[in-house]
């Protein structure tokens, strides 16, 4: 997620510098803002991509190159159907990939910096994460030890 975006951007940078309307669009995830159980490594790569994109935006702005990142929620793709995740069950939150493509085209036209889609899913995940932290930390003895509150 991170290295691919970096290597492609670096490879295309000479061409981007020559363009009068260059725009780099990276594809993040809703999980670039929150991490839930069983997706920590994936979320970490998306957090890193978001940080890379933010820095890249600042680095390339003086060259006239805009940089954006699209953070979709779950997409209804056949990735899971190929046995990569046998426990997968489709979510009611999934969006059609075509809808994501339309949003990215809109981002490019507007030269948007950051788009989360759908917004309400991000709010829901952040609420869940905050509630989880509030309810889990005081009850989990391992967590209180990590925070220096209890035990050795």
């Amino acid at each position: 997620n991170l290295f691919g975006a970096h290597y492609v951007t670096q490879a295309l940078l000479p061409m981007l510098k020559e363009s009068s309307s260059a725009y780099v669009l990276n594809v993040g995830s809703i999980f670039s803002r929150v991490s839930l159980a069983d997706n920590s490594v994936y979320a970490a790569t998306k957090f890193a991509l978001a940080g890379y994109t933010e820095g890249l935006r600042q680095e390339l702005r003086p060259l006239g190159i805009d940089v954006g990142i699209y953070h979709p929620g779950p997409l209804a793709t056949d990735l899971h159907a190929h046995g990569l995740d046998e426990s997968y069950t489709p979510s009611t939150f999934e969006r059609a990939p075509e809808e994501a493509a339309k949003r990215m085209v809109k981002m490019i036209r507007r030269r948007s910096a950051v788009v989360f889609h759908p917004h309400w899913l991000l709010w829901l995940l952040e609420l869940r994460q905050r509630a989880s932290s509030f309810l889990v930390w005081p009850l989990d003895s391992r967590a209180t030890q990590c925070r220096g509150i209890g035990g050795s």
Side-chain angles (χ1 to χ4, degrees), residues 5-123:
H6 172 70
Y7 294 140
V8 169
T9 301
Q10 292 305 308
L12 296 177
L13 197 53
M15 184 177 65
L16 294 171
K17 287 178 181 179
E18 293 176 11
S19 173
S20 61
S21 61
Y23 180 83
V24 175
L25 178 61
N26 289 323
V27 179
S29 169
I30 289 289
F31 291 111
S32 68
R33 288 282 294 273
V34 295
S35 182
L36 303 175
D38 299 325
N39 84 337
S40 57
V41 172
Y42 174 77
T45 65
K46 293 302 187 176
F47 270 77
L49 181 63
Y52 170 72
T53 302
E54 183 177 331
L56 188 65
R57 183 179 310 112
Q58 295 171 29
E59 293 170 8
L60 298 182
R61 182 176 292 133
L63 302 175
I65 302 170
D66 291 321
V67 180
I69 187 165
Y70 174 66
H71 298 287
L75 298 174
T77 66
D78 63 352
L79 178 68
H80 300 287
H82 293 290
L84 297 177
D85 184 356
E86 294 178 16
S87 65
Y88 173 77
T89 55
S91 165
T92 57
F93 298 121
E94 290 181 347
R95 300 263 191 239
E98 296 81 7
E99 188 177 338
K102 287 177 185 176
R103 285 289 176 140
M104 287 186 275
V105 168
K106 192 175 186 180
M107 278 188 76
I108 294 167
R109 287 186 178 142
R110 293 182 176 180
R111 304 178 78 75
S112 302
V114 180
V115 169
F116 285 89
H117 179 242
H119 290 290
W120 61 265
L121 184 56
L122 175 64
W123 298 330

